[in-house]
Each structure stands twice: as structure tokens, then as C-alpha cells.
Amino acid sequence: IVTSQFFIKELKSITTTLNEDVDSLKEPLTKLEGYVRLAKNNLTISPKDFGISEAREKLHSKDVEGLLLRMKIVGENIAVNIAALNTVGFTNVAWDALTAKVTKIKNGNLLQNLKMDEKETAVHNNKEIFKTLDNIMKDVMDTGKRIYKYSHAEKVGDYTLAKLMTRIRHENNSEKTELKEEGESGIVYGVVTNELGDLLESVVVRVVEYELEVETDELGEYYFEAVPTSPVNTVTLTFKLETYEELIVKEVVVEAKGNKEVNGEMRSL
């Protein structure tokens, strides 16, 4: 299983760089607009038809594909009017620099789309795995209930989906604890659902006191491997997801080398 965390981190990095590259167009576009106005009497089109205003609008709205389309038009108009623009100070070097910025944005946009496609493919493959797992869990629940229904009725409750998922998480976290380096820290983990019990992916979970942050995976699970227990061992967790009310859980006690399960239920706005 490939978790969405792997792709989300890469997408965040790609998107941050892409946004920075888009913002870097503000200055050269403003300067180009000045040159266009200076050369207005010798242009083949009026300055307002050059396409700069439309490109700036797409830039401000972070509509990257729309920006690239508008910058293509701007580039074509520069090519037709380069001689007139040269006479007022817009050099071929400035044109090359502008073109290089646009090319970098184009490549960043392609990379972002590629990574999003990879994420969708991974999610699709994971769904097939989860479907198989779901069938196995149903068989385990049914078998357990049938075995213990009459002989050990008190054990039937151990074969609900919630109980089985908790057992699996505890086993996984126990393995991680053995591998974790010793230190003054503890593990905090859990699962996040909505009020209907649906698992929520991509919830941003934060340990406020230490500015630690992770996101839930396809199973709604989050995992902090090392939450410090010094200088404080009582922390506040926040859960954020678009279209849901922020959930705040206060006074979560974290013990050194201990495991703390904190599940969250978020309500829709």
C-alpha cells in the first residue's frame, strides 16, 4: 500500500515552488506593460490588447493553466512587436528571461499534474487492496461471532470492526515502538472520522505545543512517532479539514516511551 502522505508531501513541495515561480512574473509583467505603453504608437495592436492585463488576472487567481495560455498570447505579441519594443528599452535579454520564467512555470505545472495522476493511480490500487482487506475482516468478524456466541459470549464484542481495527493499530504501533530510538518522547496516534463514521483522509493533525504536523491517510489514520515529553507532556491536538469544523482536543498526556491513542470525530460545516 502506498499512502497518500508520500504524494501529498511531494505535491506540497511542487506546488510551493510553482506558486513562487508564478509570483516571480509580477515584476517582469509590470515592466513589460510599461514598455508596451511607451511603444504604443509603433505597435501593431493597442496596449490593452497585448494580453498583459488578462495574464495578470490569471496570475493573481493562481490559475496556472490560464496564465500559461495568456502568456502564450503575450509572447506572440512580443515577437511581432519586438523591434518597436527594442526602441524603448525592452531588450532581447529581457525577453529571454521572461520566456525562461514561463517555461519553468510550464514544467512545474506538468510535474504537478503528473504527480496528481500518480496519486490517483495509487489511490485506485489501494482501494482494491482495501476491498480485499474488508472482505477478510468481514469473514473474521463473522467467524469470531459464530465461534464465541454460545461458548464465550463475552468475547463476541471483540469481533466488531472497531475492535479489530484497534487491535491492528496497537500491533503496528508496538512494532514501531521497538524500532524507535529511546528518548524523552512518546507516540500519539489515532483515527479520524466524521459524524457518520466515515474515515477522513488528508485531515491536518497538529501538536500545538511542538508545532508537529501530519495528515491522515486513506484509512483516516495519523501517527506521530516522537512527541516530546519535555518541557511539557500535556499537549493540545487540532484537527483541520476543509468543509469541517476544527476539532480541538486539549490536555492529551504523553508519556515517555508510551503510546497514546486519540481518535477524533469531526462535524461538517
Side-chain angles (χ1 to χ4, degrees), residues 12-141:
K12 281 185 175 179
S13 176
I14 293 169
T15 301
T16 297
T17 300
L18 182 57
N19 287 337
E20 291 173 352
D21 292 338
V22 167
D23 287 338
S24 74
L25 273 182
K26 291 178 180 179
E27 182 178 352
L29 272 180
T30 298
K31 290 182 178 179
L32 174 62
E33 188 173 40
Y35 289 123
V36 168
R37 289 177 178 176
L38 287 173
K40 61 183 179 180
N41 294 329
N42 297 315
L43 299 177
T44 59
I45 56 175
S46 67
K48 69 176 183 179
D49 293 328
F50 215 86
I52 297 174
S53 296
E54 293 81 359
R56 185 180 289 111
E57 180 183 341
K58 299 300 181 182
L59 186 156
H60 288 157
S61 64
K62 291 295 188 293
D63 179 357
V64 178
E65 294 185 355
L67 172 63
L68 289 172
L69 179 61
R70 295 299 179 181
M71 287 306 299
K72 181 180 179 183
I73 296 172
V74 171
E76 291 172 350
N77 288 330
I78 292 175
V80 172
N81 294 279
I82 188 61
L85 291 170
N86 282 161
T87 62
V88 295
F90 182 76
T91 65
N92 288 348
V93 173
W95 185 14
D96 289 341
L98 180 61
T99 301
K101 287 181 179 293
V102 174
T103 299
K104 189 177 180 183
I105 292 171
K106 182 178 180 180
N107 291 338
N109 186 55
L110 290 173
L111 182 59
Q112 184 185 58
N113 290 337
L114 177 62
K115 192 57 59 178
M116 290 177 68
D117 288 342
E118 289 180 3
K119 180 178 181 294
E120 290 301 316
T121 299
V123 169
H124 174 75
N125 292 339
N126 286 348
K127 285 181 178 179
E128 294 301 315
I129 296 174
F130 294 145
K131 184 178 179 180
T132 301
L133 177 61
D134 182 59
N135 290 332
I136 294 173
M137 295 287 277
K138 287 178 179 178
D139 288 340
V140 172
M141 287 188 291

Side-chain angles (χ1 to χ4, degrees), residues 147-197:
I147 290 175
Y148 294 114
K149 183 175 182 179
Y150 297 104
S151 60
H152 296 84
E154 72 280 2
K155 292 187 177 182
V156 171
D158 293 335
Y159 288 86
T160 63
L161 180 59
K163 285 286 187 178
L164 290 175
M165 290 299 294
T166 298
R167 190 186 308 172
I168 291 172
R169 287 197 297 271
H170 276 300
E171 290 175 356
N172 287 340
N173 289 329
S174 294
E175 292 177 0
K176 291 177 181 178
T177 303
E178 293 176 359
L179 295 174
K180 186 172 70 70
E181 293 183 0
E182 293 185 0
E184 294 302 312
S185 64
I187 292 172
V188 177
Y189 68 97
V191 63
V192 185
T193 62
N194 61 18
E195 59 266 53
L196 300 177

Side-chain angles (χ1 to χ4, degrees), residues 1-5 123 126-127 129-131 133-134 137 161 165 168-169 172 190-194 197-203 215-222 263-264:
I1 295 176
V2 180
T3 66
S4 61
Q5 299 279 10
V123 169
N126 286 348
K127 285 181 178 179
I129 296 174
F130 294 145
K131 184 178 179 180
L133 177 61
D134 182 59
M137 295 287 277
L161 180 59
M165 290 299 294
I168 291 172
R169 287 197 297 271
N172 287 340
V191 63
V192 185
T193 62
N194 61 18
D198 299 321
L199 300 173
L200 295 179
E201 179 184 358
S202 300
V203 176
E215 292 187 5
T216 57
D217 59 20
E218 291 90 344
L219 290 175
E221 296 183 346
Y222 72 91
N263 298 324

